[in-house]
């Protein structure tokens, strides 16, 4: 049985999860309003994992992520304006508009890179963890990746070397394949693997692992705290499999805000949880789940929650304005910042 986190910690995580959610609602809005085109991936439904995991990293630690990276970058503390501008390909973006959604990162915050190549976060992460080990300061690297990363050959090499060299790497596998099989509604599973338990893969290489409910902040917090302590003490990698259900909006190949703009009144009971996504609102939306829990803590909780939401929405309004006002990179700068 996992110990419940203290209330102030829960509020802190809730504030971050809400910002992550409002951020992605803005991404969809910017896309629908044609401020940018192209494909992108939403982290909606997985916020509890990213928020509770990344909150435990220190400034000296580093992180890599995947194509589904918006939540991680925000959780690490990136400014929403430049992050949104980057997704929109604008010059004011974190990477001056050169990376876009797939390569969203913030190296100044130790967010080394994100890889659009499935499995890339594990191999880049092994490199990041090797650098941490060379520093000899107890710092760690966290590699966030999806379940299907374990189909990729590079994952096996990176897990092997991480184990052999006892690299301080927290391997955070976000398994969102549950409920992803409903092909009649355009769904698809991201994982096709001969192993019926993903934990057996790191297990075969001597890497300890734990499976948790990725929508429960206490479980994520406890597992990540254990993994970070394991890494900092020089014992090598640890693997966490955080289970979430695939959010309906990510089932079609092109993301849709199918569950609507998040209405916190669904947590207070002032708005009904009904329709096609009733079960998701009730059981799988980590933001509503934590909101319901916090509302029970005191009579003042509702006011506090609404204040946090106003703050998150205002921050995103400013971020939208920043991104829209930011120009596209000038064509004559195309060859600047080019490595080779
Ligand atoms: C090496 C490689 N093969 C295929 C793809 C195409 N692709 C993009 S996302 C994706 C599925 C990723 O699933 P998972 O890693 O579980 O992440 P999720 O999208 O489910 O969060 C695939 C196959 C790719 N980007 N890279
Ligand atoms: Mg997946």
């Amino acid at each position: 049985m996992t110990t419940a986190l203290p209330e102030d910690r829960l509020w802190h995580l809730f504030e971050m999860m809400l910002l992550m959610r409002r951020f992605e609602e803005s991404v969809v809005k910017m896309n629908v309003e044609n401020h940018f085109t192209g494909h992108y991936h939403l982290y909606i439904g997985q916020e509890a994992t990213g928020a509770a995991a990344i909150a435990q990293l220190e400034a000296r630690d580093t992180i890599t992520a995947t194509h589904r990276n918006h939540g991680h970058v925000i959780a690490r503390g990136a400014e929403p304006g430049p992050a949104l501008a980057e997704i929109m390909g604008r010059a004011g973006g974190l990477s001056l508009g050169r990376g876009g959604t797939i390569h969203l990162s913030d190296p100044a915050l130790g967010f080394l890179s994100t890889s659009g190549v499935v499995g890339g976060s594990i191999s880049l992460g092994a490199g990041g963890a090797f650098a941490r080990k060379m520093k000899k300061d107890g710092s760690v690297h966290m590699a966030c990746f999806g379940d299907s990363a374990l189909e990729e050959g590079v994952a096996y090499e990176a897990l092997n070397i991480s184990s052999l060299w006892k690299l301080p790497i927290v391997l955070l596998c976000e398994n969102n394949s549950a409920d992803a099989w409903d092909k009649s509604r355009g769904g698809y599973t991201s994982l096709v693997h001969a192993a019926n338990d993903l934990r057996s893969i790191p297990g075969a290489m001597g890497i300890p692992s734990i499976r948790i409910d990725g929508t429960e902040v206490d479980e994520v917090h406890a597992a990540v705290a254990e993994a970070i302590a394991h890494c900092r003490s020089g014992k090598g990698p640890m693997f966490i499999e955080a289970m979430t259900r695939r959010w309906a909006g990510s089932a079609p190949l092109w993301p849709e805000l199918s569950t609507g703009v998040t209405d916190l009144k669904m947590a207070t009971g002032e708005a009904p949880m009904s329709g096609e996504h009733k079960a998701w609102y009730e059981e799988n939306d980590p933001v509503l789940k934590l909101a319901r829990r916090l509302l029970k803590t005191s009579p003042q909780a509702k006011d506090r929650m609404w204040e946090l939401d106003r703050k998150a929405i205002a921050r995103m309004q400013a971020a939208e304005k920043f991104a829209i006002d930011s120009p596209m990179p000038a064509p004559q700068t195309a060859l600047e910042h080019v490595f080779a």
Side-chain angles (χ1 to χ4, degrees):
M1 181 70 187
T2 316
T3 320
L5 285 168
E7 231 174 271
D8 60 340
R9 190 84 181 160
L10 292 177
W11 277 108
H12 182 76
L13 292 175
F14 179 75
E15 184 173 9
M16 178 52 77
M17 287 162 62
L18 197 53
L19 182 63
M20 289 154 89
R21 178 67 59 87
R22 296 301 183 207
F23 180 87
E24 292 203 298
E25 289 171 354
S26 286
V27 172
V28 178
K29 181 176 164 211
M30 293 296 99
N31 185 248
V32 169
E33 292 178 0
N34 283 320
H35 292 294
F36 77 101
T37 54
H39 200 258
Y40 57 94
H41 307 84
L42 297 175
Y43 193 62
I44 294 179
Q46 299 178 212
E47 292 95 339
T49 302
I54 294 167
Q56 295 181 75
L57 293 178
E58 297 175 9
R60 60 186 170 148
D61 301 325
T62 51
I63 178 168
T64 45
T66 68
H67 56 284
R68 202 175 294 290
N69 54 22
H70 301 164
H72 304 101
V73 171
I74 294 300
R76 184 58 170 164
E79 274 304 318
L84 188 60
E86 185 59 39
I87 293 167
M88 289 160 59
R90 306 301 173 101
L94 290 171
S95 305
L96 314 178
R98 262 90 170 155
T101 169
I102 297 274
H103 300 291
L104 198 62
S105 68
D106 196 341
L109 294 175
F111 205 116
L112 302 185
S113 182
T114 59
S115 175
V117 179
V118 172
S121 175
I122 308 181
S123 52
L124 292 171
F130 182 66
R132 293 299 99 214
K133 190 171 170 110
M134 290 296 99
K135 286 268 181 198
K136 294 189 171 59
D137 62 356
S139 56
V140 305
H141 183 89
M142 178 180 284
C144 307
F145 52 93
D147 40 292
S148 92
L150 294 175
E151 292 170 7
E152 300 298 330
V154 72
Y156 293 80
E157 297 180 36
L159 290 175
N160 186 39
I161 205 74
S162 297
S163 181
L164 285 171
W165 290 0
K166 290 199 182 324
L167 299 182
I169 180 167
V170 177
L171 297 154
L172 181 58
C173 175
E174 300 190 53
N175 188 342
N176 58 3
S177 272
D179 268 7
W181 283 268
D182 191 352
K183 291 208 174 75
S184 63
R185 290 168 50 210
Y188 59 95
T189 169
S190 52
L191 182 70
V192 183
H193 207 293
N196 55 19
D197 186 335
L198 293 183
R199 292 170 297 179
S200 65
I201 298 165
M205 298 185 219
I207 299 173
S209 66
I210 181 170
R211 178 182 284 161
I212 51 166
D213 179 342
T215 68
E216 291 288 352
V217 285
D218 315 86
E219 283 194 36
V220 177
H221 187 278
V224 172
E226 186 186 338
I228 290 177
H230 183 90
C231 288
R232 290 208 202 286
S233 67
K235 291 183 186 151
M238 188 161 162
F239 182 94
I240 299 168
E241 186 183 14
M243 310 300 292
T244 51
R245 302 199 107 71
R246 182 172 283 269
W247 171 61
S250 281
L253 277 175
W254 211 262
E256 291 164 10
L257 204 53
S258 57
T259 50
V261 171
T262 307
D263 185 356
L264 289 179
K265 290 198 172 120
M266 282 192 193
T268 61
E270 293 162 277
M273 285 184 280
S274 55
E276 194 190 348
H277 303 297
K278 184 174 187 291
W280 190 78
Y281 300 130
E282 284 174 351
E283 293 154 33
N284 301 123
D285 182 341
V287 173
L288 290 178
K289 216 172 176 177
L290 187 52
R292 279 194 292 269
R293 186 169 159 193
L294 284 168
L295 284 165
K296 288 190 197 125
T297 58
S298 83
Q300 291 79 38
K302 190 173 148 184
D303 287 344
R304 184 170 177 182
M305 194 168 285
W306 259 242
E307 181 53 33
L308 290 180
D309 199 25
R310 273 193 293 275
K311 224 171 94 185
I313 289 169
R315 245 184 121 181
M316 284 320 305
Q317 281 167 348
E320 288 174 13
K321 182 169 171 11
F322 173 87
I324 290 169
D325 289 348
S326 176
M328 297 299 280
Q332 61 271 29
T333 67
L335 295 180
E336 289 173 14
H337 314 290
V338 175
F339 180 65

